[in-house]
């Protein structure tokens, strides 16, 4: 049987160079779970065009919220060609009833423990409308050998996973809703096996918080240290610096950069968050400690919380430059379905669109409390512009001297993206911001 696995793009007019993208792990997991004897083809539409008429028996599409409209369009096209389509991923998991209107079958949650059964049922004409295993055995997680698909991709980074689930349940995030509050683990020996089999030396751990369970994380770091790899990942800043041994083990095991969700530098807001420090002084101390370990910091910031006023952009950029942060993602608060923020804003009649294409962390889709949607949008673009100005890149370099090989290409990439983003917002102005 021929199986086509697709990650749809958001904008079919735009293509990204595959060399700048990391392989979509979900599709490779599905390939790895596929029983022998089937032919699997993976298409990442952001980088390549899909031939809708190609020969295949089953189409599996993975989507998050922003590419859900395109995923639904693809469902229609393939069904018109008499193909059977299965939808899975973040968005169908949160809104399965919506996804069922377009696909023959919807997978809610994780594919481990389901995909093989689904294929068997399909071959025996018994495909169900919905599959869901609420607690799959993560020991079954088998990413397919990536082979040439990762060669010449972003820094040859291999995506890898060790845990699922997050206890924090932040009001703007759907992860706890997706994977549950309990942190579940992939056996460490499987992680070591996957690292060795990939034949790569560069890895990106996709866990929401690689140190969420510190006992497991310490054992993992000890086990991977002898493999002499370099890795980047996401972690909670407070958990990391509170545990000296953990931080040392992370650095010794090859950690080169960490992605931290700082989210805000507004102290009233920090106080309400459980996953970071509740004042700026502690956060600044933590940054210094992490840098001492020669770990680059990528911070994720979110604008648009109810306690954000118009000076939040200036304050945030000042904090990030002062602390010489390596790179930053500037996001706008996005009320993804399945989050508390979505329910609250919907009740308060503050959503300005439910066109999912715009639910991407980059586009304002609600009425903020202390500014207009356009002020929030342009404030975010300008904050990014300022942070990635040449002067700021040079100033911040002095706090990141230990890894120029990552520092400069990453900052250069963002500098180029700033112009693209400004153009996109000018284009969107009449569609999204004129009447709100
Ligand atoms: C790592 C990550 C990234 C990496 C992706 C690396 C890569 N190429 O693999 C990077 C940093 C590039 C990234 C970028 C973005 N991300 Co991201 N990302 C994540 C993160 C932390 C893990 C995703 C992941 O790969 N997990 C591992 C895989 C194996 O899990 P999975 O995708 O859920 O797949 C499993 C099941 O869902 C299911 N499944 C999935 N697809 C399918 C399909 C079929 C047919 C079937 C049967 C089953 C199935 O089976 C899989 C195995 O069990 C999640 C948070 C999370 N915990 O989910 C956010 C998350 C998915 N990202 C999010 C967002 C918004 C983005 C961006 C839009 C942000 C931005 N503005 O740039 C971009 C979009 C990039 C793009 N073009 O796709 C949001 C999505 C919210 C939403 N409702 O849409 C999340 C949930 C973060 C959050 N807390 O809000 N991301
Ligand atoms: S933002 Fe991070 S810490 Fe908060 S619920 Fe989502 S994954 Fe967990």
């Amino acid at each position: 049987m021929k199986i086509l696995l697709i990650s749809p793009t958001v904008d079919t007019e735009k293509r990204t160079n595959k060399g700048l993208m990391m392989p979509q792990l979900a599709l490779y997991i599905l390939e790895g779970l596929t029983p022998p004897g089937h032919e699997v083809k993976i298409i990442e539409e952001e980088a390549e065009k899909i031939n809708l008429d190609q020969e295949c028996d089953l189409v599996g599409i993975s989507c998050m919220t922003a590419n859900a409209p395109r995923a639904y369009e693809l469902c229609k096209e393939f069904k018109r060609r008499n193909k059977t389509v299965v939808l899975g991923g973040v968005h169908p998991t949160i809104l399965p009833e919506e996804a069922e209107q377009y696909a023959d079958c919807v997978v809610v949650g994780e594919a481990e423990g389901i995909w093989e059964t689904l294929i068997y049922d399909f071959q025996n004409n018994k495909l169900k409308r919905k599959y869901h295993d609420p607690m799959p055995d993560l020991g079954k997680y088998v990413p397919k050998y990536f082979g040439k698909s990762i060669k010449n991709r972003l820094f040859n980074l291999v995506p890898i996973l060790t845990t699922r689930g997050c206890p924090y349940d932040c009001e703007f995030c759907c992860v706890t809703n997706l994977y549950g509050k309990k942190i579940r683990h992939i056996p460490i020996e499987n992680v070591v096996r996957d690292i060795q089999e990939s034949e790569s030396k560069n890895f990106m751990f996709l866990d929401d918080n690689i140190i969420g369970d510190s006992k497991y994380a310490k054992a993992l770091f000890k086990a991977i240290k002898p493999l002499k790899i370099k890795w980047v990942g996401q972690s909670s800043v407070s958990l990391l610096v509170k545990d000296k041994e953990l931080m040392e083990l992370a650095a010794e095991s090859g950690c080169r950069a960490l992605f931290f969700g700082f989210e805000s530098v507004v102290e009233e807001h920090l106080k309400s968050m459980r996953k970071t420090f509740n004042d700026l002084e502690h956060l600044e101390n933590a940054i210094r400690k992490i840098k001492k370990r020669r770990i680059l910091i990528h911070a994720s910031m979110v604008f648009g919380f109810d306690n954000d006023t118009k000076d939040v952009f200036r304050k945030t950029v000042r904090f990030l430059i002062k602390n010489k942060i390596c790179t930053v993602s500037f996001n706008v608060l996005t009320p993804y379905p399945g989050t508390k923020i979505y329910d609250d804003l919907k009740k308060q009649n503050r959503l300005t669109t439910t066109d999912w294409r715009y639910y991407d962390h980059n586009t304002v889709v609600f009425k903020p409390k202390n500014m207009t949607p356009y002020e929030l949008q342009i404030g975010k673009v300008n904050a990014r512009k300022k942070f990635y100005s040449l002067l700021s890149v040079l100033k911040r370099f002095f706090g990141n001297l230990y890894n120029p090989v990552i520092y400069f290409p990453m900052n250069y990439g963002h500098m180029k993206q700033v112009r693209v983003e400004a153009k996109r917002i000018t284009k969107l102005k009449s569609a999204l911001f004129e009447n709100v």
Side-chain angles (χ1 to χ4, degrees), residues 40-77:
V40 177
K41 185 172 174 194
I42 288 181
I43 302 183
E44 291 167 74
E45 198 191 9
E46 207 180 313
E48 58 201 302
K49 205 165 178 251
I50 303 175
N51 170 9
L52 296 166
D53 295 309
Q54 64 190 282
E55 216 187 294
C56 64
D57 304 288
L58 185 68
V59 183
I61 304 178
S62 173
C63 71
M64 48 175 86
T65 301
N67 57 1
R70 174 62 183 158
Y72 298 156
E73 224 172 82
L74 289 172
C75 287
K76 283 187 198 157
E77 292 294 343

Side-chain angles (χ1 to χ4, degrees), residues 5 7 22-27 29-30 46 60-67 86-91 93-94 107 109-112 115 118 141 159 161 164 172-175 178-179 204 206-208 234 331 336-337 359-362:
L5 296 175
S7 159
M22 226 194 328
Q24 290 287 340
L25 184 58
L27 303 183
I29 289 181
L30 291 174
E46 207 180 313
I61 304 178
S62 173
C63 71
M64 48 175 86
T65 301
N67 57 1
V86 182
L87 270 176
V90 173
H91 193 76
T93 294
I94 298 288
V107 170
E110 293 151 74
E112 292 85 355
W115 186 239
L118 186 153
Y141 159 98
L161 198 70
R164 288 212 177 116
F172 55 87
C173 175
C174 58
V175 166
L178 285 172
Y179 292 135
M204 179 173 182
L206 303 188
D207 306 50
D208 292 295
Q234 283 191 75
N331 303 295
Y336 289 108
Y359 282 62
D360 62 357
H361 267 114
N362 281 314

Side-chain angles (χ1 to χ4, degrees), residues 366-385:
F366 73 102
K367 292 179 194 156
K369 199 164 175 198
N370 300 312
M371 56 192 113
T372 65
Y374 189 66
E375 280 168 340
L376 173 56
Q377 186 70 68
I378 213 70
K380 169 224 187 301
V381 174
N382 288 337
R384 192 176 185 201
K385 214 186 254 176

